[in-house]
Amino acid sequence: MTVNNMADPRRPNKIFRYKPPNTETNPTLEDPTPDYMNLLGMVFSMCGLMLKLKWCAWIAVYCSFISFANSRSSEDTKQMMSSFMLSISAVVMSYLQNPQPMSPPW
Amino acid sequence: MRHLVFLLPALLLLLALPDTRGRYNDDFDDGEDIAEFDDNDFAEFEDVSEDPAVDVEKEPPPRAAPSSTPIEDDEDEATVENEDGQDEFEDADAQDQDMYSKYDNEEFEGYEKTNPSFKNTLIYREVPAHLQNSWESYYMEILMVTGLLAYIMNYIIGKNKNSRLAQAWFNSHRELLESNFALVGDDGTSKEATSTGKLNQENEHIYNLWCSGRVCCEGMLIQLKFLKRQDLLNVLARMMRPACDQVQVKVTLNDEDMDTFVFAVGSRKAMARLQKEMQDLSEFCGDKPKSGAKYGVPESLSILSEMGEVTDGVMDNKMVHYLTSHADKIESIHFSDQFSGPKVMQEEGQPLKLPETKKTLLFTFNVPGMGNTSPKDMDSLLPLMNMVIYSIDKVKKLRLNREGKQKADRNRARVEENFLKQTHTQRQEAAQTRREEKKRAEKERIMNEEDPDRQRRLEEAAQRREQKKLEKKQMKMKQIKVKAM
């Protein structure tokens, strides 16, 4: 009884639909990490492929993983997959060209 | 006897050295004979004639080495090999030794010096690591792969933890939300406005929930901003700098639901930061944040307000009770009718238009646990949601008195004037460029016009317009002059 005395605050006639916030007008809201990591990954994999540096290729793999972990669900999976494949191919090519193991920098 | 057998051919060869090879090739058709000669009798001597230096060098070591073997036994295998070589020499070419025993030791005194260098020039190449057939040499690669596996493991674990926390939060708050809002959960994509009844996953660490259909408000967006537990780098960074999960609630109101005021209360750090960052707080609440102790709230909280009356109106007993009992979980509470988000930095300087404002209530709560939260901790946020609902109803009822309203209106007018002044020059420039663009477009149109008649007519029309404008300007100047006088 007491529950019915309190007016029900719900108003089905006053429903507004959800509008995703416009990130163009407010770029500070967006997290730039996945984009940076994507770019970095591509740069490192190109370096690894061109200059035949194994450590570059490995860092590229890490970058693409980090980018994937931080990505938004609305983002294109194709972009993720392409950067991932590029970094894996950089690693594979470096080892095919020079099967010697990587030497540590120290 | 054997010596004589070999001496004779040797003498022959030595006498006819330059021609021997050629003659042998030309004169002897019988291949077998050649072979016989090459292999058995003359082979060693041919070697002697071809490379006298090498042979001479080869022979002394066997003679010198036996005397020095005890010394060189400790050194590397070179000595051993030489000794083996010596043995070979001795076995196969015993005759040679006998032959060379004729030579004096004195003749080869100088060669002893070359012996050590001969032994030292033997270089042992390292077998390349990838041919060594041992996995140990690839330890860096194994380390890298292990790191990747660790990252993947952490991703899965972190993702699951965040998901469980979100679900726990929603389960504990579902009842309250469903009793207050007609629409709970909407992603904006479905045709009809039906409650999805679940959270909208934006990220592996951000979950959204949109609720709508209530008196006093347009809608409420709840964002569960968890820590990036799925990213190993972030996990490691958090070990240095602890942070906590946050729940952000943004209630958007209709125009009639709120009077005109700006107010904020929260932790001291948060208030200092918001005053600098937020457009409306920096414009309307110019004073430094006041300590909450004056209003019966813990010291840790401070208040930013447009005017004292607003603070008195908002901080009633129930609100003070809420704030006191949950002070540790409150990061910031921000009520504003002029909310436009954080200050936007534009490259050209100031934006040309006043940013759009919306009547908003913003709440940011910290989840207890400082990162090590468990799903049970989500229940402790329920009273805070009750506070949110209470605030919505309260703000609707809160009305400023006449004085307060006048003050508020004056403040808003002042802010707008300031803004217009600052952008005056820029707006002028923008108008100028627009006018020039128009002129250029007209001229281009005239030039592109093929028909000469039409061209003439358009030109004349443009000239007339220019003339009119000039006349208008002149009239205005005259008027101003008259007024001034």
Side-chain angles (χ1 to χ4, degrees), chain A residues 32-98:
Chain A
T33 309
D35 300 322
Y36 280 155
M37 281 295 147
N38 219 353
L39 182 68
L40 219 62
M42 292 217 205
V43 166
F44 272 117
S45 51
M46 293 316 286
C47 274
L49 272 172
M50 303 292 174
L51 306 175
K52 299 183 191 158
L53 298 170
K54 292 196 180 80
W55 56 268
C56 269
W58 280 111
I59 291 177
V61 175
Y62 271 96
C63 281
S64 82
F65 266 93
I66 294 172
S67 171
F68 171 73
N70 284 302
S71 67
R72 285 147 245 148
S73 54
S74 58
E75 255 186 51
D76 216 1
T77 47
K78 276 186 276 181
Q79 175 84 339
M80 289 294 134
M81 288 307 290
S82 78
S83 86
F84 186 64
M85 288 296 146
L86 185 65
S87 56
I88 295 281
S89 73
V91 170
V92 168
M93 288 308 292
S94 312
Y95 279 93
L96 280 177
Q97 285 165 355
N98 182 11

Side-chain angles (χ1 to χ4, degrees), chain A residues 101-102, chain B residues 129-130 132-141:
Chain A
M102 215 160 51
Chain B
H130 65 283
Q132 272 178 20
N133 271 342
S134 76
W135 288 109
E136 287 158 8
S137 52
Y138 284 93
Y139 67 94
M140 282 295 285
E141 281 77 11

Side-chain angles (χ1 to χ4, degrees), chain B residues 191-434:
Chain B
K191 261 199 237 170
E192 283 178 23
T194 45
S195 298
T196 57
K198 56 183 164 111
L199 296 164
N200 205 4
Q201 186 175 5
E202 195 182 295
N203 234 330
E204 302 298 345
H205 62 282
I206 297 182
Y207 292 82
N208 288 341
L209 184 72
W210 172 255
C211 306
S212 184
R214 191 187 193 276
V215 289
C216 315
C217 72
E218 237 181 51
M220 177 166 82
L221 177 67
I222 304 175
Q223 267 196 327
L224 302 176
K225 289 194 171 166
F226 293 129
L227 302 166
K228 286 189 185 177
R229 290 187 179 83
Q230 79 275 12
D231 181 14
L232 188 61
L233 281 184
N234 210 284
V235 170
L236 296 171
R238 258 187 303 117
M239 288 185 187
M240 325 277 188
R241 219 170 12 130
C244 51
D245 305 302
Q246 282 192 336
V247 176
Q248 268 189 7
V249 182
K250 183 170 173 181
V251 185
T252 41
L253 305 161
N254 296 316
D255 282 333
E256 67 272 12
D257 293 331
M258 182 173 171
D259 207 354
T260 54
F261 65 89
V262 176
F263 173 82
V265 61
S267 71
R268 258 178 281 141
K269 253 201 218 170
M271 284 297 106
R273 188 176 37 93
L274 283 180
Q275 194 176 28
K276 268 185 257 164
E277 275 181 12
M278 288 297 176
Q279 180 87 17
D280 51 350
L281 285 176
S282 60
E283 282 173 357
F284 292 97
C285 307
D287 305 329
K288 267 191 355 190
K290 291 194 204 86
S291 164
K294 277 189 239 169
Y295 295 90
V297 166
E299 263 287 323
S300 58
L301 299 176
S302 49
I303 299 171
L304 275 172
S305 173
E306 199 180 344
M307 53 188 116
E309 189 198 333
V310 169
T311 320
D312 294 326
V314 172
M315 299 295 242
D316 61 351
N317 286 337
K318 206 161 178 196
M319 198 65 162
V320 169
H321 172 74
Y322 272 125
L323 289 173
T324 317
S325 47
H326 304 285
D328 57 333
K329 298 194 206 78
I330 293 172
E331 170 86 0
S332 71
I333 297 176
H334 180 188
F335 300 163
S336 171
D337 73 310
Q338 298 279 317
F339 181 75
S340 60
K343 283 193 202 169
V344 179
M345 290 296 148
Q346 281 199 358
E347 290 101 38
E348 301 95 56
Q350 295 278 350
L352 290 176
K353 279 194 314 176
L354 265 177
E356 258 183 55
T357 61
K358 187 92 183 124
K359 297 201 176 185
T360 318
L361 309 180
L362 273 168
F363 301 82
T364 308
F365 302 130
N366 293 328
V367 177
M370 204 65 178
N372 295 327
T373 41
S374 69
K376 287 192 298 277
D377 294 327
M378 293 304 175
D379 291 332
S380 58
L381 294 172
L382 197 55
L384 292 169
M385 195 52 67
N386 281 323
M387 181 177 78
V388 170
I389 305 288
Y390 172 74
S391 307
I392 297 175
D393 292 326
K394 182 178 182 57
V395 158
K396 169 89 179 187
K397 283 182 265 164
L398 181 65
R399 294 282 172 234
L400 300 167
N401 60 14
R402 201 157 44 97
E403 246 183 62
K405 191 85 176 91
Q406 278 177 352
K407 234 183 172 181
D409 287 338
R410 256 182 288 145
N411 279 341
R412 275 145 193 74
R414 171 181 49 90
V415 165
E416 204 176 324
E417 217 184 292
N418 282 342
F419 180 80
L420 287 174
K421 265 195 219 159
Q422 279 172 347
T423 59
H424 181 68
T425 40
Q426 261 155 318
R427 274 184 296 124
Q428 262 194 338
E429 275 172 32
Q432 182 75 2
T433 43
R434 256 182 284 136

